[in-house]
Amino acid sequence: MKLSSFKFDLPDSLIAQHPYEDRDGARMMVLHRKTGKIEHKQFRDIIEYFGDGDVMVANDTKVFPARLYGSKEKTGAKIEVFLLRELNREMRLWDVLVDPARKIRVGNKLYFGDSDLVAEVIDNTTSRGRTIRFLYDGNHEEMMQAIYELGETPIPKDILQREVADYDEERFQTIFAKNEGAVAAPIAGIHFTKNIVRRMEINGVDFAPLTLHIGIGTFRQVEVEDLTKHKTDSENFFIPEATCNIVNRALDENKRVCAIGSTSLRAMESSVSANNRLKPLDNAWTDKFIFPPFDFKIANALLTNFHLPESILLMTTCAFGGYDTVMEAYQVAIKEKYKFFTYGDAMLII
């Protein structure tokens, strides 16, 4: 497949700028893979599609306030520092993006507000990428508390075209969020409420967690026409043995195993045993890039949002639902004015 195969015209008006008033208030397109049939539903109707023995696999990563604003020593120039991932806890090394990058060189120190949090730039990684070392007298927990107090919810402001609002702290997070480490929310999961989960569990549906800490690579623009030449950033993931037992039982019984989001889907497809069953992994890394054609071994249903043109997430969705089927469904979504991106509407592929 070529990058240009995933290009389509998306009106700016269809990119959701704000979350729905209620988490489960989104619309939901249901796409049947085999027939191409489309149903127009509300997200609350998801209860109708899963029953006894089916499994929903949720990414329980937790978004942390990864966007910091600091000032450069001596000049006082304002600098945005976007924390990507912790490289070494003991040495307090982090992989970050800085803006404007041209002002930041190795050896520079950055100061954050009136706090005791200071960072020293120790390496260049990419044009905007840097490795920094935090200089802080407290322990790790105290340092993270300082980051939480100073940091900002890392919504993609360049796409949402607005500043961060108070509600983003809660809504740019799923109810499954538990394990800290993501710089973006697993967006398909933001539609769930505790009430919907409880009603599905009453119907016999199992919810099984895994953790994939979403990095900036999930949203990084693909810059090569030949998709086989694109390399994604590695992301840290964990799959508990208990989750594997639940998923594998469902597969053995020919039940539905639904990945809540492409991150859950990618984690599962990165840990497949020789007999096509899910296997546990602890502190693993994956750079798996899923695009058509792809032979999925674990998930047989996918809940996702509507994604931007030429995005990795759209490519993964097309790999699961079928390129022609999904791209035709997207044209229907545009015609029916479904909302796209993080705070937009949902698509269930079964």
Side-chain angles (χ1 to χ4, degrees):
M1 298 292 297
K2 303 296 184 181
L3 174 63
S4 55
S5 300
F6 297 92
K7 188 174 184 178
F8 63 92
D9 292 326
L10 177 64
D12 289 343
S13 61
L14 295 186
I15 298 177
Q17 296 294 314
H18 307 277
Y20 283 92
E21 183 175 349
D22 299 315
R23 280 186 178 270
D24 59 358
R27 298 166 69 192
M28 181 176 71
M29 176 186 287
V30 181
L31 177 62
H32 297 259
R33 285 195 290 177
K34 291 184 178 180
T35 64
K37 176 185 175 183
I38 290 174
E39 299 177 86
H40 301 290
K41 299 284 187 175
Q42 296 296 123
F43 182 77
R44 299 180 182 94
D45 298 324
I46 194 170
I47 296 169
E48 302 172 6
Y49 293 89
F50 297 92
D52 190 36
D54 292 335
V55 178
M56 308 292 289
V57 180
N59 185 358
D60 66 5
T61 188
K62 184 177 182 180
V63 179
F64 69 99
R67 184 180 284 115
L68 296 171
Y69 294 98
S71 58
K72 185 180 174 183
E73 63 175 340
K74 297 181 181 178
T75 67
K78 299 301 181 184
I79 304 295
E80 178 181 313
V81 178
F82 195 99
L83 304 177
L84 295 178
R85 64 183 181 183
E86 185 179 48
L87 298 174
N88 185 303
R89 179 163 298 186
E90 184 178 350
M91 297 182 66
R92 297 182 174 174
L93 299 180
W94 283 75
D95 185 20
V96 306
L97 296 176
V98 295
D99 187 32
R102 59 184 171 79
K103 294 184 177 182
I104 303 301
R105 296 179 174 88
V106 172
N108 289 158
K109 287 185 179 178
L110 306 174
Y111 295 84
F112 300 96
D114 297 325
S115 74
D116 296 329
L117 193 66
V118 180
E120 180 182 10
V121 181
I122 65 171
D123 195 15
N124 296 327
T125 54
T126 63
S127 59
R128 290 182 57 211
R130 303 289 187 273
T131 300
I132 65 171
R133 177 191 290 116
F134 279 113
L135 309 175
Y136 189 77
D137 290 334
N139 59 32
H140 173 75
E141 287 71 24
E142 291 169 337
M143 189 185 83
M144 290 306 298
Q145 180 60 37
I147 289 175
Y148 265 82
E149 291 174 358
L150 294 165
E152 181 180 271
T153 303
I155 66 168
K157 294 192 294 184
D158 56 331
I159 297 174
L160 294 187
Q161 300 177 351
R162 64 172 175 83
E163 293 301 310
V164 176
D166 290 341
Y167 56 73
D168 287 311
E169 182 177 356
E170 176 196 359
R171 298 300 297 275
F172 198 63
Q173 198 85 265
T174 73
I175 64 167
F176 308 110
K178 178 181 179 184
N179 296 308
E180 182 182 88
V183 301
I187 58 176
I190 67 173
H191 304 293
F192 282 92
T193 64
K194 291 182 179 179
N195 181 54
I196 283 183
V197 170
R198 184 162 56 248
R199 290 175 64 187
M200 294 182 77
E201 288 177 335
I202 290 172
N203 290 342
V205 178
D206 288 315
F207 281 78
L210 54 75
T211 306
L212 185 141
H213 294 312
I214 303 168
I216 204 73
T218 296
F219 302 94
R220 198 185 297 279
Q221 180 64 42
V222 177
E223 296 179 345
V224 291
E225 178 67 6
D226 182 355
L227 297 184
T228 63
K229 298 186 183 305
H230 175 73
K231 182 173 176 56
T232 60
D233 299 17
S234 292
E235 293 174 320
N236 194 204
F237 76 106
F238 306 74
I239 301 180
E241 185 172 357
T243 290
C244 295
N245 293 338
I246 293 171
V247 168
N248 293 336
R249 183 270 310 156
L251 292 175
D252 291 340
E253 297 177 359
N254 294 316
K255 299 293 186 177
R256 277 187 174 154
V257 175
C258 181
I260 301 177
S262 62
T263 58
S264 296
L265 183 70
R266 185 150 48 90
M268 287 193 286
E269 295 301 324
S270 298
S271 187
V272 180
S273 69
N275 63 339
N276 293 335
R277 290 297 181 264
L278 189 62
K279 62 181 180 182
L281 281 178
D282 182 58
N283 199 23
W285 294 83
T286 180
D287 61 358
K288 183 176 286 295
F289 175 30
I290 298 176
F291 61 92
F294 188 88
D295 183 17
F296 290 89
K297 304 297 185 183
I298 306 297
N300 50 40
L302 172 65
L303 177 70
T304 188
N305 271 30
F306 288 95
H307 305 297
L308 301 183
E310 297 184 316
S311 65
I312 288 174
L313 300 176
L314 172 59
M315 297 169 193
T316 300
T317 303
C318 285
F320 189 85
Y323 173 79
D324 291 335
T325 302
V326 170
M327 294 302 285
E328 289 173 9
Y330 265 51
Q331 291 304 309
V332 173
I334 291 171
K335 181 180 178 181
E336 296 295 328
K337 299 191 183 311
Y338 277 78
K339 293 292 187 178
F340 283 63
F341 203 52
T342 298
Y343 287 136
D345 293 313
M347 170 185 270
L348 174 62
I349 305 177
I350 55 177

